[in-house]
Amino acid sequence: MANAPPIEPLPWSGPHREARDDPRDTRTWGKREDSALVLRDVNRCSVRPTDLITHRGYAVLVTDTRGWIGGQKEGFFFHQTRYLSRFGVKIDGADPSFVSANAVDHHFLTAYHLASSPAGRAAGPEPDDADGTGGEIAGKAIELQINTFVGDGLHIDLIVTNHALTETAVTVTLSVAADFADLTEAQLGSRRQNAPVERLWAAGEPSSGEIPRGELTLRYTHPDLQLATRFQIEGGDALTDAGDALACELALKPHEPRIIELDLVPVFEGQAADPFYGRDGAFAQDASAPSARRRWLEGCARLGADNAVVQAAWDQAVSDLASLQLLDGPGEEPFMVVAGVPNYTGIFGRDAFVTSLQTAALTPATLRGSLQAVSRWNATTTDDHFDAEPGKVLHQRQRGPLARLGLTPFLHYYGDHSTPALFLLAAAADLAHTGDLDAFRSLRDKLLGTLAWMEGNADERGFYAYQTRSSQGLKNQSWKDSGDAVLYPDGRMVQDPIAMANVQGLVHAGKQAIALAFAAAGENERAATLLEEARALKGRFNASFWMPEERTFAIALDPRGEQVRTVASDPGACLAYGIIDDGKARAVAERLFEEDMFTGWGIRTLSGRHPAFNPFAYHLGSVWPSPNAIIAFGLKRYGFVDAMHAVASGLFSVSQIFDLDRLPEVFGGHPRDARHPHPGLYPGACSPQAWSAGAVIFLVDTMLGLRPLAPRSTLVVDPALPTWLPAVTLDHVRVGGSYASLRFRRDKSGYTEVEVIDDGGLHIVRPAAAVVPGVDRVAAGLRAAVTPAEAITLAGRARSI
C-alpha cells in the first residue's frame, strides 16, 4: 500500500482529493501550520471553578468546593427538582476545618475535614500550642471523611476517625433541608411555585449490632405535586432530630473509624427512587444498570492513537458518554444520553440524535436507544402550548415542577426544526450500522408521519421556516436556540418565521438518507420521490441563500424571504449536509477560515466583525466543539482535508487546557494568540456535555473515514491522517453483527495506509472518494446513510484492502 498510485476521483465525488499534500493548494488553512500536539504542562481551566458536580442519569449533585450545599444554585436535583437545598456537617456545634474535596468519578464525591479533639480542648493549650487548639495531635485529631455517591438518590458515608491518643466523644450534626425548587428556579434565584415543607421524624428499630436508625421525611405540601425527601440515617451511639439537623453521638476510640450512613431517597410523582449505591459505593440495588453500562463499554470500539493528546481526549469522551447514558425506557432500557450536566438532564431529542450520530462508529447502541426513547414521544395531535403537531419529533421532555404544573411548555415540547430531520438521519444510520431491517420497518409509520409534517409545513417558497405557537415557546428553533441568536448584520433581531440555512441543510440530508433506507427496504418509488425532493431543495437553497459578495451563504431568510446577510458558522454545517453546490464549496470553506471566524481553537458561531459579537455569548461569537466537528466532516466531504485537519488540531489542542482533557459544551471565542493564552469559557457551560464528548469521537471517525454498509456486510474506509497523528489503531468496529480491527499509518508522502488486522468477515474496501457511491454524495449529514443494493457498485470503483 505504501507505493500505491493515487486513485482517480469518482465522477460524483466533487472536489475531493486523496489525503496528501496538494501542490495546487498553497493556502494555509487558518494561517497556522499543523504541528505535533503535545500534552501541555499548564494549570488546567475548570469549567465551573466554584462548583463540584457529580451525576448519574437524572440525578445531579452540585456543591460548593468544600462539598457543602447552601448557595443559590447548589443542591441535589432529580428530574430537575431540588430534593436537597442545604447540607453541611458540624462537629460539636462548630464547623470543621476544610481540607479538600473533589469528584473522583462521575458519580462519586469525596471530601476531608478536620476538627480538634474535645479531650484536647478541655486540657487547654500546650506550651508550643500557638493557636490554642492543643497542638497538632489534638488540634487535628478528628478526621471527617464524607463520601457521596449519586445514583437515583444519594448515599453518603460519613467516616469519623479519632487520631488523638485517648478516647473521646463527639456529636456530629447534619444540617439538611429541601425546598423542591425547579432547576430553573434554582438557577435564576426566584420561585414561580412554592409551598410549605412538612418535617416528620421517626426513630427506627436498631439494625443488627444495635446500631441506631432513624428516618426524616421532608414532604412538599403543594397540592399538585407529590414530592418528598426521605433521609434514612444509621450509625453512631444515639440519633436525634435537632429541629433543622440530624444529630449523631459517637464514642471514638483512638484510630477506630465510625461510619454514619445517610441515604437520601427522592419521592417523585409518589414513587420512591432508592439510592443506587450503598456503603463504599457498593451496589445497593440490582446491578442491572451498571451491567448495562459495562455492556455499552464492552461494545465500544477501542482506539490506540500515536498521539497522547488525542488518546487522552478520546478516553475521557468515552468515559463521559458512559456516565451520561440515561437507560430510559420501559422493559429493556435503551441506551441514550442526557444532553449535559448540570443543566440538561431531561430527554433532549436533538442532543440525543446528534450525539448518537457522532458516536455511531464508537458504538451504534446509543443510536438505537435514542431512536427508541425519543420516537415514542412523536406528536400525534396539535397542541400550541407544546408547539406540537402530528409528526413532529420531541425536542425536550422535562419533569420538574414548572413543567408539571404547566408553567413552562417543556413537559413534552416540540419547538425545534432540527430534530425531525435528525430523526430521519438517525433511522437511516441505524440501518447502515446494524443492517436491522425489522427495526427500521418498526419506525416506518413514524418516519412517514414526520415526512408528512415536513411537507405540510414548507412555506410558499419551499423552505422550512419555524415560528413558535406557544406563548412560552422558544423563539429560535434550530440548534442556535437562544433568543438573540439570529440577527441582521446591523444587530437588529430577526422576527419569526425564520428559514435557517442549517435547517434546510438538515432536511436535505435527512431526505436523502431516509430515501436510501426506504430503497433498501424495497420502497423504491418512495425513495425516488424523496431524492427528487432533496435535489429540488438543494437547487432552491443555492439560488436563494448564496451571497456572492460575501463568498458564503446567508444564515437565514427572514419573514419577507430576504436574506439575513449575517456571516456565521451555519454554512459550515451545510457542507456536512451536502446541500452546497460544488462550485461554491471552496469559497465557503475559505470564508470560515478568515480571521473573524477561525480563532485557531475553532470556528466561531458569529463573525468577529459583527456588531453583536461577544466571545462569551452563547451563539454570538463563542466556539462550540460539536458544530465544529460537524464542519470538519463537511470540509473533508468536499475535499478540503487540510482545513479539516486545522479544525481538528484546534479542538484537540484546546482539550489540553481544560480539566480532564474534556471539551466543555462551549468555550470562548477569543483568538489563539499571545494575548489570549486560552480562549476563555462560556459562563455556566455544561461539563461533561454529550455533544462535546461526541465531537471527539466524530473527529477521529472523520479522519479515518469510516462508512458502514451493514446490509452489504461492508465497511468502506477513506482515511486522511494529519502529521500530528501518524498512526491509529481502531479495534472492535461494529458493522452489523461483525467486528473489525484496523491499523492506519500516514507515510512520508502524506498518504494514509490501511492494514486490516481482523476483518471480522466483512468486506473492507477503500473507495476513490470520501463518499460511498450513490446519489449526490449520499454520505449526507453527520454519518453516511444506508445505500441500497442497486446504488452500491463497488466493483471497479473501490479496491479491497
Side-chain angles (χ1 to χ4, degrees):
M1 294 292 292
N3 299 315
I7 303 173
E8 290 301 314
L10 296 173
W12 49 74
S13 66
H16 174 79
R17 63 177 186 274
E18 282 290 312
R20 57 179 70 247
D21 296 331
D22 187 341
R24 297 167 296 175
D25 186 1
T26 58
R27 180 181 180 87
T28 301
W29 293 93
K31 300 183 179 180
R32 299 185 61 83
E33 296 288 349
D34 280 344
S35 59
L37 304 179
V38 294
L39 285 170
R40 297 167 174 267
D41 185 16
V42 297
N43 292 325
R44 301 297 184 99
C45 289
S46 177
V47 176
R48 288 174 173 259
T50 62
D51 299 330
L52 294 174
I53 300 175
T54 44
H55 66 97
R56 182 185 179 278
Y58 290 116
V60 179
L61 175 66
V62 182
T63 76
D64 66 17
T65 54
R66 300 169 300 167
W68 301 148
I69 295 172
Q72 169 189 312
K73 299 180 180 180
E74 297 157 6
F76 171 69
F77 299 88
F78 184 65
H79 287 300
Q80 296 97 33
T81 305
R82 182 156 62 182
Y83 284 87
L84 184 62
S85 56
R86 184 177 72 246
F87 178 74
V89 180
K90 294 181 183 292
I91 304 293
D92 290 333
D95 292 327
S97 174
F98 172 64
V99 177
S100 65
N102 71 303
V104 295
D105 204 343
H106 295 94
H107 69 283
F108 175 26
L109 172 70
T110 190
Y112 292 94
H113 305 263
L114 294 174
S116 60
S117 167
R121 291 196 297 270
E126 297 178 359
D128 59 349
D129 178 14
D131 60 6
T133 62
E136 192 165 67
I137 292 177
K140 299 179 179 179
I142 307 301
E143 174 194 317
L144 173 64
Q145 181 183 1
I146 304 177
N147 293 335
T148 305
F149 303 91
V150 181
D152 288 358
L154 289 180
H155 178 84
I156 303 175
D157 290 331
L158 295 97
I159 307 168
V160 186
T161 305
N162 174 21
H163 293 297
L165 304 178
T166 59
E167 184 173 346
T168 191
V170 298
T171 299
V172 178
T173 53
L174 288 70
S175 175
V176 294
D179 64 358
F180 303 99
D182 189 275
L183 173 65
T184 301
E185 294 177 309
Q187 292 177 334
L188 296 178
S190 62
R191 298 292 292 267
R192 297 178 62 190
Q193 57 83 33
N194 212 337
V197 176
E198 184 180 66
R199 184 184 182 95
L200 301 170
W201 165 259
E205 291 294 326
S207 63
S208 59
E210 299 301 312
I211 299 175
R213 286 172 140 180
E215 181 172 289
L216 172 66
T217 299
L218 302 180
R219 188 178 72 85
Y220 200 41
T221 61
H222 195 292
D224 298 318
L225 297 171
Q226 292 180 284
L227 303 173
T229 303
R230 294 178 188 161
F231 297 97
Q232 297 169 344
I233 187 168
E234 176 179 321
D237 303 307
L239 293 172
T240 56
D241 179 16
D244 61 351
L246 298 173
C248 179
E249 296 179 8
L250 292 171
L252 300 172
K253 297 178 181 179
H255 305 291
E256 179 184 350
R258 299 287 303 275
I259 298 180
I260 305 167
E261 295 185 62
L262 179 68
D263 283 335
L264 185 156
V265 180
V267 179
F268 178 75
E269 295 181 348
Q271 298 294 315
D274 291 329
F276 194 81
Y277 298 98
R279 180 183 286 196
D280 294 327
F283 300 132
Q285 302 179 19
D286 178 0
S288 59
S291 295
R293 280 181 171 78
R294 283 195 293 270
R295 289 197 305 274
W296 185 88
L297 284 167
E298 289 167 358
C300 287
R302 293 179 285 274
L303 182 76
D306 281 17
N307 184 298
V309 175
V310 174
Q311 188 69 58
W314 172 285
D315 291 344
Q316 185 60 47
V318 173
S319 177
D320 287 343
L321 289 164
S323 78
L324 293 167
Q325 295 295 329
L326 194 54
L327 304 177
D328 184 85
E332 189 140 342
E333 308 283 2
F335 293 105
M336 67 166 289
V337 291
V338 297
V341 174
N343 297 337
Y344 306 119
T345 56
I347 295 177
F348 284 78
R350 179 180 63 204
D351 297 67
F353 286 143
V354 169
T355 302
S356 58
L357 285 161
Q358 288 179 320
T359 61
L362 176 72
T363 172
T366 307
L367 186 60
R368 173 66 59 83
S370 298
L371 284 165
Q372 293 172 332
V374 175
S375 68
R376 64 192 173 106
W377 294 102
N378 282 17
T380 57
T381 60
T382 298
D383 190 325
D384 287 350
H385 177 68
F386 299 110
D387 270 333
E389 298 171 276
K392 288 186 79 173
V393 184
L394 183 75
H395 170 41
Q396 58 178 289
R397 174 167 165 75
Q398 299 185 24
R399 299 171 72 186
L402 295 183
R404 291 174 57 214
L405 293 172
L407 299 174
T408 73
F410 301 132
L411 186 63
H412 37 260
Y413 184 64
Y414 297 86
D416 177 68
H417 270 45
S418 304
T419 311
L422 287 165
F423 174 47
L424 306 182
L425 278 169
D430 180 76
L431 181 54
H433 280 270
T434 68
D436 190 342
L437 277 168
D438 288 340
F440 174 74
R441 290 181 176 124
S442 73
L443 295 170
R444 179 180 182 276
D445 290 346
K446 292 183 176 182
L447 292 165
L448 293 178
T450 297
L451 287 165
W453 172 81
M454 283 181 173
E455 291 319 293
N457 282 269
D459 63 20
E460 66 277 4
R461 301 158 295 178
F463 294 117
Y464 302 89
Y466 58 70
Q467 181 172 19
T468 183
R469 293 177 169 85
S470 173
S471 62
Q472 297 175 301
L474 298 177
K475 177 191 179 297
N476 290 317
Q477 299 187 0
S478 72
W479 86 267
K480 289 183 175 177
D481 56 6
S482 56
D484 57 0
V486 187
L487 304 175
Y488 288 107
D490 61 3
R492 289 178 297 123
M493 186 176 294
V494 182
Q495 299 303 315
D496 295 352
I498 300 173
M500 290 292 290
N502 65 75
V503 170
Q504 316 314 307
L506 263 173
V507 172
H508 170 266
K511 286 192 173 186
Q512 278 197 329
I514 208 64
L516 297 173
F518 275 124
E523 298 189 47
N524 292 327
E525 184 175 346
R526 187 182 306 280
T529 299
L530 287 167
L531 288 170
E532 174 55 28
E533 290 175 0
R535 185 201 64 76
L537 175 59
K538 181 174 182 176
R540 294 193 299 271
F541 175 83
N542 281 272
S544 299
F545 281 75
W546 177 242
M547 302 187 298
E549 64 281 9
E550 295 287 352
R551 304 185 74 241
T552 191
F553 286 82
I555 188 176
L557 300 182
D558 70 9
R560 300 185 298 263
E562 297 178 0
Q563 292 178 344
V564 179
R565 300 176 63 80
T566 293
V567 176
S569 60
D570 302 60
C574 291
L575 290 172
Y577 306 139
I579 197 171
I580 292 177
D581 286 340
D582 288 348
K584 299 180 175 70
R586 175 170 284 275
V588 171
E590 290 179 347
R591 185 65 187 87
L592 290 170
F593 279 85
E594 291 187 15
E595 289 184 358
D596 63 317
M597 290 299 298
F598 185 65
T599 69
W601 307 112
I603 294 167
R604 294 182 176 115
T605 48
L606 181 69
S607 165
R609 298 171 191 157
H610 193 280
F613 167 74
N614 183 333
F616 298 115
Y618 208 47
H619 295 124
L620 299 177
S622 60
V623 175
W624 287 64
S626 178
N628 268 263
I630 294 169
I631 292 170
F633 176 87
L635 291 166
K636 186 184 178 188
R637 175 178 185 167
Y638 280 84
F640 309 116
V641 176
D642 293 341
M644 178 269 290
H645 288 160
V647 173
S649 174
L651 290 178
F652 280 118
S653 293
V654 81
S655 72
Q656 304 169 72
I657 289 174
F658 301 117
D659 279 344
L660 304 174
D661 302 287
R662 172 192 287 158
L663 288 173
E665 173 189 12
V666 53
F667 56 84
H670 278 303
R672 187 178 181 181
D673 58 24
R675 180 173 289 178
H676 305 93
H678 64 78
L681 282 162
Y682 176 78
C686 285
S687 182
Q689 203 252 9
W691 278 13
S692 294
V696 173
I697 309 302
F698 196 39
L699 286 170
V700 174
D701 183 13
T702 297
M703 288 188 283
L704 300 184
L706 305 177
R707 299 292 172 265
L709 300 170
R712 299 282 287 181
S713 298
T714 298
L715 175 63
V716 182
V717 297
D718 184 58
L721 292 179
T723 55
W724 42 266
L725 185 60
V728 164
T729 300
L730 196 64
D731 293 321
H732 207 66
V733 180
R734 178 183 167 185
V735 179
S738 301
Y739 295 87
S741 296
L742 306 168
R743 177 73 171 168
F744 303 85
R745 290 183 182 276
R746 176 186 168 104
D747 67 18
K748 292 181 180 179
S749 72
Y751 180 79
T752 301
E753 304 171 349
V754 183
E755 175 190 355
V756 178
I757 301 170
D758 182 359
D759 62 20
L762 297 169
H763 305 294
I764 300 179
V765 297
R766 182 170 190 161
V771 295
V772 176
V775 182
D776 191 21
R777 197 180 286 107
V778 183
L782 308 184
R783 294 288 307 151
V786 67
T787 306
E790 62 266 29
I792 303 174
T793 314
L794 294 173
R797 296 177 182 171
R799 60 169 180 264
S800 296
I801 296 173

